[in-house]
């Protein structure tokens, strides 16, 4: 089943990481046959995130086997869980902006299928639709950055884009197109990471099954932070983009932390905690502390996955304790 596949993916990723430590490879590599080729970007950031996402996918998929046992649509859930995890892995390995954008959109669309697992719940459908609209805004920003990048530089390859951005900084020649690209990328990251004022969809998605919440809060919500860190050579060239990240992230962190204290539902409280943590991560990126943001991302992912899976188990135990004897 999907639990075995995700576990095998984690083992393969772990072996690949060990191999890369022993035999370093160039950051950008092209793989494929004939016209079906794609460039992958392998560096410490991608290896770290590959290990993290594959491990979380293995844990969440194994948890969902027991959590959803007996559900009539468990097979559909497992299928979309695998597609979502695979999309995130492709996003991490992307070596050019086109593949990155395609994986970015695929991650959002496959997550939408998981959020509508309980299609008979009106609250779940409403939350999924709100998230769908906000995600499409983020996708529009990504596509805009994609088009502007091609028109400005004639390439989507990260290695070439980073070299061009570094050359512009060294020559101190300002580029309006690079500033526009950075702003669009930052907007997409802020929308993906549920930053103020587009944060309300995240607490509303608590109607989804607990494994979905764990995967979303521990993995997918971090895609915005990963976007900023991966494309930091481009974004760091725009002071306006960095200032926007710092200001919006700081306000969101403060705002969501206060709101979290007022919540009576465990899962909604954890959701506002995630919004606040994403705000801290955006603040770190805005201040240029990209390495610290990666450390924050990994620590928050592991903590939040454990928190959601534990809360799901406690809620299930509490419900079973209230079932009258003999029923």
């Amino acid at each position: 089943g999907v639990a075995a596949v995700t576990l095998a993916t984690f083992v393969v990723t772990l072996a690949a990481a060990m191999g890369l430590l022993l035999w370093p490879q160039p950051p950008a590599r092209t793989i494929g046959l004939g016209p079906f080729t794609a460039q992958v970007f392998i560096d410490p950031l991608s290896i770290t995130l590959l290990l993290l996402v594959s491990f979380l996918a293995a844990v969440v998929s194994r948890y969902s086997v027991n959590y959803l046992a007996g559900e009539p649509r468990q097979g559909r859930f497992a299928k979309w869980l695998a597609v979502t995890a695979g999309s995130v892995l492709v996003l991490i390995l992307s070596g050019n902006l086109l593949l990155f954008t395609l994986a970015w959109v695929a991650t959002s669309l496959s997550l939408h299928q998981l959020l509508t697992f309980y299609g008979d719940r009106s609250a779940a459908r409403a939350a999924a639709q709100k998230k769908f609209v906000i995600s499409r805004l983020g996708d529009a920003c990504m596509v805009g950055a994609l088009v502007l990048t091609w028109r400005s530089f004639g390439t989507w390859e990260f290695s070439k884009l980073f070299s061009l951005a570094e050359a512009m900084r060294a020559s101190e020649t300002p580029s309006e197109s690079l500033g526009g690209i950075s702003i669009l990328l930052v907007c997409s990251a802020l929308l993906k990471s549920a930053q103020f004022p587009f944060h309300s969809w995240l607490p509303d998605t608590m109607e989804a099954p607990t494994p979905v919440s764990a995967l979303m809060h521990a993995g997918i919500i971090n895609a915005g932070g990963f976007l900023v860190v991966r494309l930091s050579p481009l974004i760091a060239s725009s002071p306006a983009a960095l200032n926007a990240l710092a200001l919006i992230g700081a306000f969101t962190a403060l705002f969501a932390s206060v709101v979290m204290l007022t919540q009576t539902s465990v899962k909604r409280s954890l959701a506002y905690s995630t919004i606040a943590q994403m705000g801290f991560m955006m603040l770190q990126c805005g201040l240029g502390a990209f390495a610290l943001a990666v450390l924050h991302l990994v620590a928050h992912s592991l903590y939040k996955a454990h928190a959601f899976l534990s809360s799901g188990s406690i809620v299930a135990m509490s419900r079973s304790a209230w079932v009258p004897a003999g029923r």
Side-chain angles (χ1 to χ4, degrees):
V2 67
V5 172
T6 52
L7 180 60
T9 302
F10 172 67
V11 173
V12 171
T13 303
L14 185 61
M18 296 298 296
L20 288 171
L21 288 176
L22 297 175
W23 299 285
Q25 299 290 325
R29 295 180 61 85
T30 301
I31 59 173
L33 294 173
F36 303 101
T37 59
Q39 191 178 55
V40 298
F41 208 79
I42 302 174
D43 61 353
L45 174 62
S46 59
I47 292 299
T48 301
L49 270 294
L50 279 175
L51 289 172
L52 174 67
V53 172
S54 59
F55 173 71
L56 290 176
V59 173
V60 170
S61 59
R62 184 65 187 90
Y63 179 92
S64 65
V65 171
N66 295 329
Y67 186 86
L68 297 175
E71 289 278 355
R73 292 183 293 174
Q74 187 175 8
R76 175 182 178 274
F77 178 89
K79 177 186 71 175
W80 284 110
L81 180 64
V83 173
T84 304
S87 300
V88 177
L89 293 176
V90 173
L91 179 75
I92 294 170
L93 282 174
S94 299
N96 64 74
L97 194 58
L98 176 61
L99 182 59
F100 190 98
T101 303
L102 293 175
W104 181 274
V105 176
T107 300
S108 177
L109 294 177
S110 55
L111 177 62
H112 181 76
Q113 299 297 323
L114 293 175
L115 293 175
T116 56
F117 179 74
Y118 292 128
D120 55 334
R121 299 182 180 180
S122 58
R125 292 198 308 271
Q129 290 300 323
K130 182 190 296 186
K131 195 267 180 190
F132 186 85
V133 172
I134 293 177
S135 294
R136 297 294 72 76
L137 293 175
D139 294 345
C141 293
M142 278 297 299
V143 172
L146 184 73
V147 173
L148 189 56
T149 299
W150 181 261
R151 293 185 60 182
S152 302
F153 302 107
T155 182
W156 284 318
E157 295 182 10
F158 287 162
S159 54
K160 294 181 180 179
L161 290 174
F162 297 163
S163 299
L164 290 171
E166 180 63 28
M168 287 182 179
R169 281 199 299 271
S171 61
E172 297 183 354
T173 56
S175 172
E176 294 183 2
S177 59
L178 186 56
I181 293 169
S182 300
I183 292 294
L184 287 172
L185 292 174
V186 164
C187 289
S188 186
L190 293 174
L191 288 164
K192 190 78 167 184
S193 297
Q195 297 298 281
F196 184 88
F198 301 101
H199 65 281
S200 60
W201 64 267
L202 190 60
D204 293 342
T205 57
M206 294 301 98
E207 289 290 335
T210 295
V212 178
S213 299
L215 183 65
M216 180 170 61
H217 287 256
I220 298 172
I221 196 72
N222 294 304
F226 173 72
L227 164 64
V228 175
V229 176
R230 165 59 77 213
L231 300 177
S232 57
L234 298 179
I235 296 174
S237 301
S238 172
L242 292 178
N243 291 338
L245 277 173
L247 292 175
I248 296 176
F251 179 80
T252 303
L254 178 61
F255 164 78
S257 299
V258 173
V259 175
M260 180 190 69
L261 300 176
T262 67
Q263 300 301 303
T264 56
S265 168
V266 173
K267 292 181 69 176
R268 285 186 66 88
S269 178
L270 289 174
Y272 276 102
S273 169
T274 297
I275 296 173
Q277 294 293 337
M278 292 302 100
F280 280 121
M281 189 182 303
M282 292 301 164
L283 173 61
Q284 291 161 355
C285 291
L287 296 176
F290 298 110
L292 182 60
V294 175
L295 175 62
H296 189 173
L297 188 155
V298 173
H300 172 259
S301 295
L302 296 174
Y303 146 70
K304 197 52 65 76
H306 176 267
F308 266 101
L309 296 181
S310 297
S311 67
S313 300
I314 295 300
V315 169
M317 291 172 56
S318 301
R319 287 177 177 174
S320 63
W322 284 95
V323 176
R327 297 186 64 179

